[in-house]
Amino acid sequence: MTFDAVALCRAEPDAAAMLGALLAAGSELKMDTIEAAGLVQLFDPGDGRLLLSVETARLVRVPGEAQRLLGLVPADDVPESVWWVESRAPGADPQAAEVARRFTAALVEITGGLTWESR
């Protein structure tokens, strides 16, 4: 099972925002991309294990859709249009979950918005 974290961004996360958040997650981490899948991945530099996969940002335009998908209440906390950036970390790895938390917190700090976690 994975640990999922979602950044619901008020402003579109451009390349500089994404890079800044990825570096805040761990500047010592090794980064790779899988362009065909629209993923950026972070790895432990020592043993090479996968710590985080981040998907390309998607604009959610349907009012209330982000709240419905995540079970958020009250709906007023999320703007009608929001940029959804989803990241996944291996669920059995506490270091990976912390990397996901740092990434989403940094991205929301840059773009505004809020975070959601699967647990």
Side-chain angles (χ1 to χ4, degrees):
M1 194 157 196
T2 61
F3 173 82
D4 300 326
V6 177
L8 298 173
C9 304
R10 292 185 187 280
E12 181 177 5
D14 60 11
M18 291 294 285
L19 182 57
L22 288 164
L23 289 172
S27 60
E28 76 286 355
L29 300 177
K30 183 179 169 192
M31 188 182 319
D32 197 6
T33 60
I34 303 175
E35 290 183 38
L39 292 176
V40 175
Q41 295 183 315
L42 297 178
F43 298 87
D44 183 279
D47 61 14
R49 75 184 186 286
L50 176 65
L51 295 174
L52 185 66
S53 294
V54 179
E55 295 181 6
T56 303
R58 292 189 170 90
L59 180 60
V60 178
R61 295 182 188 193
V62 177
E65 186 66 2
Q67 296 91 328
R68 183 188 72 78
L69 292 169
L70 298 175
L72 297 176
V73 184
D76 295 339
D77 288 347
V78 179
E80 286 190 21
S81 290
V82 66
W83 289 91
W84 177 295
V85 180
E86 191 162 343
S87 57
R88 289 186 179 84
D93 187 338
Q95 180 187 4
E98 185 54 34
V99 168
R101 285 186 185 98
R102 287 195 309 260
F103 169 76
T104 55
L107 189 58
V108 165
E109 185 176 322
I110 295 166
T111 63
L114 60 111
T115 63
W116 174 91
E117 297 178 2
S118 60
R119 53 181 155 113

